[in-house]
Amino acid sequence: MALSLSVQATAYVQVQPLAARVAPAQRAAAPQMAEDGWKAAGLAAALTLAAGVESASAGPFTRSEISSLTYEQIKGTGLANTCPVVEAGSGSKISLGGGKYKIDEFCLEPTTFQVLEEKLTKAGIVTEAVDTKVTTRQTYVLTGIEGDLTQDGGKLTFIEKDGIDYAPTTVQLPGGERVPFLFTVKNLVAKSEGAANSIEPGLKLAGNFKVPSYRTGLFLDPKGRGTTTGYDQAQALPALQAGDDSSLYKENNKKFEVGQGSIELKVTSVNSELGEFGGVFVQKQPSDTDLGSKVPKEVLLKGNWFATAVQQ
């Protein structure tokens, strides 16, 4: 279930530490320290009453800090497009004893977006990861995801069930080409590398998930063609309607394709008292195929994640 690229040994190193990371859009400058009761609570946000209700600077914040903010304080800061960080505290190991457990508030925040491109070199054709620029607004973080946490053959297994588990996203290559894709972890089944009955730093989970089509059945292309509605072929080309339209077969015959992606999660921090844990991830998935008319590209994402373990 490991990724086909040789990123297993170095990918986690390339992800910036939580304390210094800067999201692609985007994170604001260092937060202004308040002089009132917020400072005692450790909230890294500026809330000045004299100037009215002010916004909070973008994180990283802990879960308790985010929950203490109002909508007006979060609005326009980019904080809603970030994942919480694990709160510092005692206990760096969550033991999973008897009973049923589930993962709640699972959040994925990509900080690096790359597209795998084939390049011709003297040694032959090699695949390299090309850095891209995100053109989507700050709506690409997956959050509120939950699922079962079980034991399968001694291995710790996370089975994704529900939540905001997809986000249409577009990135732009250096040459100007834009690559849309559906950032998702739908139906993820991630297992630990070996037998495990606890969550602690160093634990790794890896698995596959489904990648639905970026477009839905009601989408119509510029010539009015779609899967469940619209024209069967381009109406502006009547000569092809009665003859051979093989050159436009893929464009005329739209189809909803479901691809497959893979992800690796590594735990780097744990707070057993609050049941919080998080770390870094590496994910690979196909891009949009424009309803079957284009060959998908491979998108490589790296970033940070957060989750809580709850006993049912």
Side-chain angles (χ1 to χ4, degrees):
M1 290 183 289
L3 302 183
S4 58
L5 298 187
S6 57
V7 299
Q8 300 175 357
T10 61
Y12 300 118
V13 180
Q14 299 176 16
V15 180
Q16 297 181 2
L18 290 174
R21 77 181 192 269
V22 178
Q26 333 139 294
R27 294 237 176 154
Q32 177 184 354
M33 297 303 296
E35 296 297 331
D36 50 12
W38 292 111
K39 186 175 181 180
L43 179 62
L47 306 175
T48 310
L49 297 178
V53 178
E54 294 190 358
S55 299
S57 299
F61 287 171
T62 64
R63 184 173 53 146
S64 59
E65 290 171 346
I66 295 176
S67 62
S68 66
L69 296 174
T70 65
Y71 170 78
E72 291 297 332
Q73 292 163 354
I74 296 177
K75 180 182 177 182
T77 64
L79 182 59
N81 194 53
T82 62
C83 289
V85 295
V86 177
E87 189 169 340
S90 60
S92 59
K93 179 179 180 180
I94 301 176
S95 298
L96 304 176
K100 296 182 179 180
Y101 288 84
K102 74 171 185 176
I103 286 183
D104 199 9
E105 300 185 49
F106 182 48
C107 178
L108 286 168
E109 178 190 352
T111 57
T112 301
F113 298 79
Q114 296 175 313
V115 174
L116 303 182
E117 295 275 295
E118 291 186 346
K119 183 178 180 181
L120 181 60
T121 64
K122 293 181 179 179
I125 299 178
V126 297
T127 301
E128 64 176 11
V130 180
D131 293 332
T132 65
K133 179 179 68 174
V134 182
T135 59
T136 304
R137 301 185 69 177
Q138 298 185 40
T139 56
Y140 50 79
V141 164
L142 307 184
T143 185
I145 300 173
E146 61 182 39
D148 297 331
L149 186 61
T150 62
Q151 293 278 346
D152 184 6
K155 294 185 177 181
L156 202 60
T157 304
F158 169 52
I159 305 174
E160 190 267 342
K161 295 292 186 181
D162 197 8
I164 304 176
D165 53 8
Y166 69 95
T169 309
T170 301
V171 296
Q172 182 171 306
L173 291 167
E177 180 185 359
R178 294 194 173 184
V179 181
F181 66 97
L182 191 70
F183 176 39
T184 182
V185 287
K186 277 188 174 294
N187 302 128
L188 168 66
V189 178
K191 297 183 179 182
S192 60
E193 293 183 335
N197 56 8
S198 62
I199 301 174
E200 55 187 320
L203 175 68
K204 294 182 181 180
L205 300 172
N208 298 326
F209 56 88
K210 293 182 180 179
V211 183
S213 173
Y214 182 84
R215 308 288 190 187
T216 61
L218 296 179
F219 172 78
L220 297 178
D221 69 6
K223 295 186 181 297
R225 297 168 296 190
T227 56
T228 60
T229 185
Y231 297 113
D232 293 331
Q233 61 271 322
Q235 298 301 304
L237 302 173
L240 291 178
Q241 298 179 22
D244 181 18
D245 64 345
S246 58
S247 60
L248 298 175
Y249 180 81
K250 290 185 178 181
E251 286 78 4
N252 289 337
N253 294 272
K254 307 291 185 182
K255 57 181 178 179
F256 189 94
E257 294 185 325
V258 178
Q260 179 174 283
S262 54
I263 188 172
E264 291 182 1
L265 304 161
K266 181 180 180 181
V267 178
T268 59
S269 53
V270 176
N271 184 321
S272 59
E273 183 179 358
L274 299 177
E276 299 178 349
F277 59 102
V280 292
F281 75 91
V282 180
Q283 174 172 327
K284 188 178 73 170
Q285 67 169 86
S287 67
D288 173 43
T289 64
D290 198 13
L291 293 175
S293 63
K294 296 179 180 178
V295 178
K297 296 180 180 291
E298 292 291 340
V299 181
L300 184 67
L301 303 101
K302 305 172 187 176
N304 307 285
W305 63 277
F306 172 89
T308 60
V310 181
Q311 186 171 11
Q312 298 181 357

